[in-house]
Amino acid sequence: MVRQVIMDYFRFLSDLITALIALCTVMILICAMLFMALRTLIRIKSRPSSENGRMTVAFFHPYCNAGGGGERVLWCAIRALQKKYEHMDIVVFTGDVEVTPVEIVDKARQRFNIVFDRDVRFVYLSCRKWVEAVTYPHFTLLGQSVGSMLLGLEALIKCVPNVYIDSMGYAFTLPIFKYVGGCRVGCYVHYPTVSTDMLQRVSEGTVAHNNVPYIRHNRLLTAAKLLYYRLFSFVYGLAGCCSDGIMVNSSWTRQHILHLWKRPAITFLVFPPCDVAEFNNIQIEEKTSSSPVDQISIVSVSQFRPEKDHKMQILAVGRLIESLDSDSVRARIRLRLIGSCRNEGDEKRVLELRHLAKDLGLEDKVEFLINISFDELKSHLQSATIGLHTMWNEHFGIGVVECMAAGLIMLAHDSGGPKMDIVVSYNGNPTGFLASDVDGFAVAMEKILRLSEEEKFAIRTNARKSTNRFSDKNFEATFVNLYETLFVS
């Protein structure tokens, strides 16, 4: 009797496994047929470049109107291609459905001082919510990546380019355009979606915006999250290695992309464009002749994203004010947070930062300057003393370069791009300061304020000279050269 039950059990289990295998086989066949049908439809819809002698290059940038450093890279890349190739059509896939093409181009001019030679075509995507973090309270990386594939498919259905460039870090769109659309594909990587540093932080239980307390304090959940990150890293590597050409923005990013994607032959370091020439017009001499009654302006230039850690900036300035022994100097301190808001999440973050400043009694010391024009940005940098940047493992740091080019004494986080590429010794002399926590930033700011005018001037001039490596001219020449090598040759 027992033997019969066991045999029936195993027979049922065998039948179940057979049925599941058959079901999976059918599903795979159906998916393959749908894939081939979609691919055929898109190939029929696509127009070869030889038909009218024009090449279509598309950039995937769902937040092209955000006004951050990534958008400066996008607009400078487009401007460079327009200058080089007269018979080229430029397309930008964007989810900024609430603004017109004229408004987008006008913002690029106002924020970055960038003007285009010809019109840029904008293809609007209606499902950008699929890539927003707020849509996925849990398994955010996975949700956003799958969402980016769906958003990429929408983009591909609306426009099939000859060359596709992901300029915002959505690597999972690369195989969609390559294998379904038959496009040449490339990317400009600002930072890896997942990195070994992220795994280390989770493993060590480090406090971070993406490592919440209930996971950090539970060994089982920590182990599960590490497994999730490792599996995701593997799949992310498969998506990234589909690229025909890879450009990265910093030594730190290059190090991680080489580890994850393993394509050294087609991975190139291209520093992002910074408008150093425009900021170099600010006279450094004017900064050294300030009156004892002038405000001491500490400026931060970055988007109001969680990883930028504006909270640390407010806490550090509060700690600085507490440590100063001069009432007159304390009264002159001002922290000016300059940046853009991409969505409601960023706006909510600004509101929380305002509340923090008020709770610390710093509401009259902290100013929020949101979505200001390029001319206003220059004006604030001209009157500032210290540039402040607190993001851990910042992939590059265009705002850091802009502050240094404008003649500010830079204080950045001791990690990532600022540590490896920007705030480094130049001609054997320092170009700024680095710190890693609230106390460290407060101590460094106090040290800067105590420098003599001669010492400040020496650091400023040396830092400004060092930023010529990151000019628009250098970026555009390198970008076009690599474009020709990877996609034209």
Side-chain angles (χ1 to χ4, degrees):
M1 182 70 178
V2 175
R3 184 179 179 182
Q4 183 63 38
V5 171
I6 294 175
M7 289 180 64
D8 290 341
Y9 171 77
F10 279 107
R11 190 178 298 112
F12 170 76
L13 189 61
S14 175
D15 291 343
L16 178 62
I17 292 173
T18 302
L20 288 174
I21 292 174
L23 180 61
C24 289
T25 303
V26 171
M27 293 299 295
I28 291 172
L29 288 173
I30 291 174
C31 289
M33 291 172 64
L34 289 174
F35 170 79
M36 294 304 296
L38 180 62
R39 185 181 184 188
T40 302
L41 179 64
I42 288 176
R43 294 290 177 89
I44 292 174
K45 178 184 176 181
S46 63
R47 169 182 52 82
S49 59
S50 58
E51 185 176 302
N52 60 3
R54 299 186 70 85
M55 174 78 72
T56 299
V57 176
F59 290 83
F60 190 78
H61 211 103
Y63 294 90
C64 74
N65 201 45
E71 287 66 61
R72 168 167 258 282
V73 171
L74 170 69
W75 303 132
C76 284
I78 290 174
R79 182 175 63 183
L81 291 177
Q82 284 188 340
K83 288 179 180 178
K84 178 68 176 180
Y85 302 102
E86 182 178 350
H87 301 291
M88 177 183 284
D89 295 323
I90 303 292
V91 172
V92 176
F93 293 117
T94 177
D96 294 305
V97 296
E98 71 283 356
V99 291
T100 66
V102 172
E103 290 172 326
I104 294 174
V105 171
D106 190 54
K107 184 171 181 178
R109 179 187 58 79
Q110 290 183 356
R111 174 65 181 88
F112 302 117
N113 199 32
I114 292 176
V115 179
F116 303 114
D117 293 341
R118 301 188 300 278
D119 289 341
V120 176
R121 177 188 170 196
F122 293 92
V123 174
Y124 287 93
L125 307 177
S126 60
C127 301
R128 190 175 69 180
K129 64 181 179 180
W130 290 340
V131 298
E132 293 182 352
V134 69
T135 307
Y136 312 99
H138 305 288
F139 299 100
T140 308
L141 291 181
L142 179 61
Q144 287 182 296
S145 298
V146 173
S148 72
M149 296 177 72
L150 297 174
L151 192 63
L153 193 57
E154 180 193 355
L156 184 59
I157 291 172
K158 291 182 175 180
C159 175
V160 184
N162 300 102
V163 176
Y164 167 81
I165 299 176
D166 164 40
S167 54
M168 206 173 174
Y170 294 106
F172 287 86
T173 62
L174 296 171
I176 298 291
F177 276 83
K178 183 169 186 174
Y179 298 118
V180 180
C183 311
R184 294 276 287 172
V185 300
C187 55
Y188 187 94
V189 184
H190 296 277
Y191 57 92
T193 303
V194 65
S195 68
T196 53
D197 294 324
M198 290 170 62
L199 270 70
Q200 183 179 353
R201 275 202 157 189
V202 173
S203 179
E204 295 175 350
T206 305
V207 177
H209 72 276
N210 59 350
N211 194 24
V212 293
Y214 72 85
I215 292 180
R216 196 169 66 243
H217 298 145
N218 187 300
R219 290 185 180 182
L220 182 61
L221 291 179
T222 295
K225 186 168 185 176
L226 284 171
L227 177 61
Y228 162 60
Y229 271 179
R230 291 192 177 102
L231 291 173
F232 183 86
S233 298
F234 173 74
V235 180
Y236 178 63
L238 293 178
C241 72
C242 295
S243 184
D244 297 308
I246 304 165
M247 303 182 202
V248 297
N249 68 340
S250 70
S251 300
W252 182 86
T253 303
R254 184 175 187 274
Q255 172 185 313
H256 287 279
I257 288 299
L258 287 177
H259 174 75
L260 292 163
W261 292 3
K262 301 179 179 12
R263 298 293 304 276
I266 59 168
T267 301
F268 300 92
L269 172 59
V270 183
F271 288 130
C274 307
D275 197 1
V276 296
E278 192 69 27
F279 290 109
N280 282 346
N281 292 330
I282 296 175
Q283 297 298 313
I284 292 181
E285 290 77 6
E286 295 178 8
K287 293 178 177 293
T288 63
S289 58
S290 58
S291 165
V293 298
D294 289 342
Q295 291 183 350
I296 300 173
S297 179
I298 302 168
V299 168
S300 165
V301 181
S302 62
Q303 289 180 318
F304 288 98
R305 304 206 307 261
E307 62 270 23
K308 296 299 182 180
D309 206 352
H310 290 87
K311 178 181 178 181
M312 181 182 286
Q313 297 176 6
I314 296 174
L315 293 174
V317 168
R319 196 72 51 87
L320 167 67
I321 292 173
E322 291 176 0
S323 66
L324 293 172
D325 51 14
S326 170
D327 291 339
S328 62
V329 175
R330 280 199 294 266
R332 294 163 58 199
I333 297 290
R334 294 293 185 278
L335 172 62
R336 294 185 168 93
L337 304 179
I338 301 175
S340 58
C341 289
R342 303 164 299 167
N343 48 40
E344 291 182 7
D346 289 352
E347 292 170 358
K348 180 181 178 182
R349 199 165 295 112
V350 170
L351 185 60
E352 292 171 351
L353 291 170
R354 290 183 187 275
H355 289 157
L356 174 63
K358 184 176 181 180
D359 292 341
L360 295 175
L362 300 173
E363 61 265 40
D364 61 335
K365 300 289 187 181
V366 181
E367 298 177 21
F368 294 85
L369 304 168
I370 302 170
N371 298 329
I372 64 175
S373 68
F374 183 76
D375 288 338
E376 289 175 303
L377 172 63
K378 281 183 60 180
S379 176
H380 285 291
L381 293 184
Q382 182 168 356
S383 62
T385 301
I386 298 174
L388 187 60
H389 196 83
T390 51
M391 178 178 170
W392 170 77
N393 269 347
E394 169 69 89
H395 36 285
F396 179 72
I398 289 181
V400 175
V401 175
E402 290 178 341
C403 287
M404 291 168 62
L408 279 69
I409 298 180
M410 196 65 219
L411 173 57
H413 199 283
D414 190 15
S415 63
K419 178 182 181 179
M420 298 177 71
D421 294 319
I422 306 175
V423 189
V424 296
S425 177
Y426 185 75
N427 291 333
N429 295 308
T431 57
F433 297 83
L434 298 168
S436 56
D437 56 28
V438 171
D439 288 333
F441 277 99
V443 169
M445 284 187 284
E446 184 172 2
K447 180 179 180 179
I448 293 171
L449 295 179
R450 294 185 186 278
L451 292 174
S452 67
E453 295 302 329
E454 291 75 16
E455 290 172 320
K456 291 177 183 176
F457 182 75
I459 294 174
R460 286 171 172 144
T461 53
N462 194 50
R464 170 173 282 182
K465 290 176 183 176
S466 75
T467 61
N468 290 327
R469 299 171 292 151
F470 312 119
S471 67
D472 285 0
K473 183 179 179 181
N474 285 348
F475 168 82
E476 293 183 7
T478 307
F479 184 88
V480 168
N481 181 55
L482 285 176
Y483 175 84
E484 290 181 337
T485 302
L486 297 171
F487 303 115
V488 178
S489 302

